[in-house]
Amino acid sequence: MRQTAAAIDIGTSKVVCMIAEKGVYDGFNLLGISVNEYAGYDRSGWLEPRELKYTISSVLREAEKQAGRRLRRVHVGVPGDFTEVILKKASLSFGKARRITQDDVELLFKRGENFSAMRDYSVAHRCPIHFLVNGERKTMDPLNMMASELSAMVSYVLVNKGFMRSVGALMESEGYVIDSAVASPLAQALAFIPAEMRDRTSILVDIGNRSTSISVLKGDGMLYHNSVRIGGLHITRDLAMLMHVDDEIAEQLKRRAVYGLSVSRDDVYELLPKGSSRIQSFSAMKVQEIINARVDEICDIIKKELEQSGCILPEYVEIWLTGGTSGMRGIREFMQKRLNRGVSLIQPKSTRLNKPEYSSALGVIDLALDNITQEEVPLLEQIKQIFKK
Ligand SMILES: Nc1ncnc2c1ncn2[C@@H]1O[C@H](COP(=O)(O)OP(=O)(O)OP(=O)(O)O)[C@@H](O)[C@H]1O
Ligand SMILES: [Mg+2]
């Protein structure tokens, strides 16, 4: 039987569940997909914990129904808000020169794994940025090399234990267990930023509903990550408050506006509010001004985050933009100008899910399926696979 995995991806506006099986040669086939909007979470925790339990169980049951199978083990996509990255140099000294083995590499990764200041976090991914053999030869594949010393720059991707405990308890009460924690920023980057772009360093920006996640990638690892509490919801709320409309109309205005388009004083957006037979007009100029102010603020935050990331980011390092808010028309061109570097939109190719808000769940199921294979392949092969990417 082909390998199958189930994953849920938890955002601040929706929970997505995907069940997929590995493709014959490459990629995967989606067997079940379900999406449920819910109240989300903020700094204080889940906004409606009871609703979350219902949301998680209904997305899982719906995806299972579509896939025609029941799965007990589920991978959990951990959002950027609950993910941390620690970059560390780890070293091993063998005394005299010998061939480097898989056990050495594993021990090396373990060496760096002491995070006394991060007691609330556990390691979800260990990604080598590069290895250094005998203190001088930089490589991505040290296996079988003769050396008396091996060191590596390792990116440890950590996930918040409290988040995992909370989701784990809800899933358990519905008869599911967590298979693994998958950091969604890393998963998205691996799935949607081409490897050759990551090798040269790339930036991933996911502008969602309540949060914006900013990550710097190098090879298969993350150099930096931070999540900021600002997103599309703030734009909707600004529009609702300043245009004196309810959230639903504000949301429609946000989706209608074309960012950066020049509008005149007389231009209007016409909307037919739900349940009404009267078309309402809104000044396009005013809508633009409100949206511009927030997107400007988001750009400033991204700029500041990148400046203080400590990463070397020349102008050729591109931004890969995703998350529901990146669906805003014209935002790519605006950000490109504002941030002074290339911006590409991540657009999942799946015909059913070709919107940026699904890139996170697609990345998570992709990495989860990858890990299934890895569990069955000896570590030596796993390491080779990492280097082949
Ligand atoms: N076409 C569009 N134009 C403008 N905004 C959009 C569009 N489509 C979706 N959005 C906005 O994207 C946001 C949802 O994005 P997404 O689904 O990526 O969030 P999430 O993953 O649930 O939350 P987060 O990533 O913040 O935890 C909402 O604020 C929604 O209004
Ligand atoms: Mg998201």
Side-chain angles (χ1 to χ4, degrees):
M1 200 176 95
R2 282 210 232 137
Q3 288 140 337
T4 309
I8 55 167
D9 184 60
I10 301 172
T12 59
S13 70
K14 64 181 195 317
V15 178
V16 181
C17 176
M18 290 186 183
I19 297 179
E21 67 178 5
K22 270 193 101 67
V24 183
Y25 302 107
D26 205 4
F28 56 83
N29 307 317
L30 283 170
L31 306 176
I33 308 150
S34 62
V35 183
N36 260 32
E37 289 190 0
Y38 80 123
Y41 60 84
D42 67 8
R43 235 179 278 265
S44 60
W46 304 111
L47 295 178
E48 289 178 31
R50 278 210 198 114
E51 182 206 18
L52 175 68
K53 182 170 143 77
Y54 169 77
T55 304
I56 287 185
S57 87
S58 62
V59 286
L60 280 160
R61 305 254 186 264
E62 173 57 30
E64 283 178 339
K65 208 163 96 190
Q66 291 173 22
R69 64 186 76 181
R70 177 131 167 72
L71 289 169
R72 215 174 102 73
R73 301 175 71 82
V74 179
H75 299 271
V76 173
V78 183
D81 295 318
F82 300 99
T83 302
E84 291 283 340
V85 170
I86 293 186
L87 210 58
K88 258 195 179 178
K89 190 175 170 199
S91 314
L92 274 184
S93 198
F94 309 129
K96 59 180 183 193
R98 62 170 172 78
R99 285 200 189 282
I100 297 168
T101 65
Q102 53 176 339
D103 287 346
D104 296 331
V105 174
E106 203 172 3
L107 183 64
L108 184 73
F109 284 172
K110 280 253 170 265
R111 271 277 164 95
E113 222 172 290
N114 172 17
F115 308 110
S116 46
M118 303 288 291
R119 287 195 201 291
D120 296 341
Y121 285 78
S122 57
V123 177
H125 312 274
R126 306 177 186 93
C127 323
I129 303 293
H130 59 74
F131 291 91
L132 213 56
V133 177
N134 288 333
E136 51 190 22
R137 209 169 141 197
K138 233 185 211 181
T139 175
M140 281 305 287
D141 184 1
L143 288 180
N144 293 320
M145 281 186 175
M146 289 295 288
S148 57
E149 220 184 289
L150 175 68
S151 62
M153 188 55 83
V154 187
S155 140
Y156 295 92
V157 183
L158 280 63
V159 294
N160 184 278
K161 287 183 191 165
F163 174 84
M164 292 308 292
R165 263 198 306 273
S166 171
V167 174
L170 288 173
M171 287 194 3
E172 210 166 290
S173 69
E174 294 296 319
Y176 297 92
V177 291
I178 293 182
D179 201 328
S180 77
V182 179
S184 79
L186 177 69
Q188 291 197 76
L190 295 180
F192 293 103
I193 305 180
E196 61 277 17
M197 300 304 285
R198 282 187 270 114
D199 285 347
R200 300 168 61 193
T201 313
S202 291
I203 299 160
L204 175 77
V205 174
D206 177 343
I207 315 179
N209 189 50
R210 280 196 166 84
S211 67
T212 293
S213 144
I214 299 139
S215 319
V216 180
L217 288 302
K218 178 85 185 159
D220 289 344
M222 290 171 95
L223 296 178
Y224 175 80
H225 169 77
N226 197 19
S227 212
V228 188
R229 309 265 170 171
I230 191 164
L233 180 70
H234 297 79
I235 304 174
T236 309
R237 285 195 176 151
D238 290 349
L239 284 166
M241 197 170 76
L242 298 164
M243 302 294 295
H244 309 290
V245 292
D246 63 23
D247 285 356
E248 198 203 304
I249 294 184
E251 183 72 29
Q252 284 189 49
L253 283 172
K254 180 174 80 171
R255 290 175 190 235
R256 179 71 76 80
V258 182
Y259 200 77
L261 197 76
S262 64
V263 285
S264 75
R265 233 163 244 295
D266 304 329
D267 289 329
V268 289
Y269 290 124
E270 291 187 328
L271 294 181
L272 185 66
K274 236 189 209 164
S276 159
S277 54
R278 208 169 59 85
I279 289 176
Q280 283 187 38
S281 302
F282 301 92
S283 154
M285 199 173 244
K286 196 165 171 200
V287 169
Q288 297 268 41
E289 270 172 25
I290 297 166
I291 296 179
N292 283 12
R294 264 301 173 186
V295 179
D296 257 356
E297 187 191 353
I298 295 176
C299 284
D300 279 345
I301 290 172
I302 296 170
K303 215 169 185 175
K304 218 164 95 203
E305 280 294 323
L306 295 177
E307 274 164 19
Q308 63 191 33
S309 68
C311 302
I312 300 164
L313 298 169
E315 273 172 25
Y316 67 77
V317 172
E318 282 189 23
I319 293 181
W320 294 76
L321 185 62
T322 191
T325 303
S326 72
M328 209 149 117
R329 293 184 290 171
I331 196 169
R332 185 189 76 84
E333 293 76 5
F334 176 79
M335 286 183 89
Q336 198 153 272
K337 269 195 218 136
R338 193 71 167 57
L339 298 172
N340 211 18
R341 56 179 84 235
V343 176
S344 303
L345 285 179
I346 289 181
Q347 248 162 352
K349 291 203 176 63
S350 158
T351 42
R352 288 159 81 189
L353 301 165
N354 58 357
K355 291 194 179 147
E357 54 259 51
Y358 298 119
S359 64
S360 162
L362 287 163
V364 170
I365 192 83
D366 197 10
L367 197 55
L369 279 164
D370 242 26
N371 289 342
I372 295 182
T373 332
Q374 290 196 1
E375 272 159 28
E376 290 168 3
V377 178
L379 187 70
L380 174 68
E381 284 304 315
Q382 285 182 37
I383 291 167
K384 281 186 184 160
Q385 282 173 11
I386 295 175
F387 301 137
K388 267 190 229 145
K389 278 185 182 170

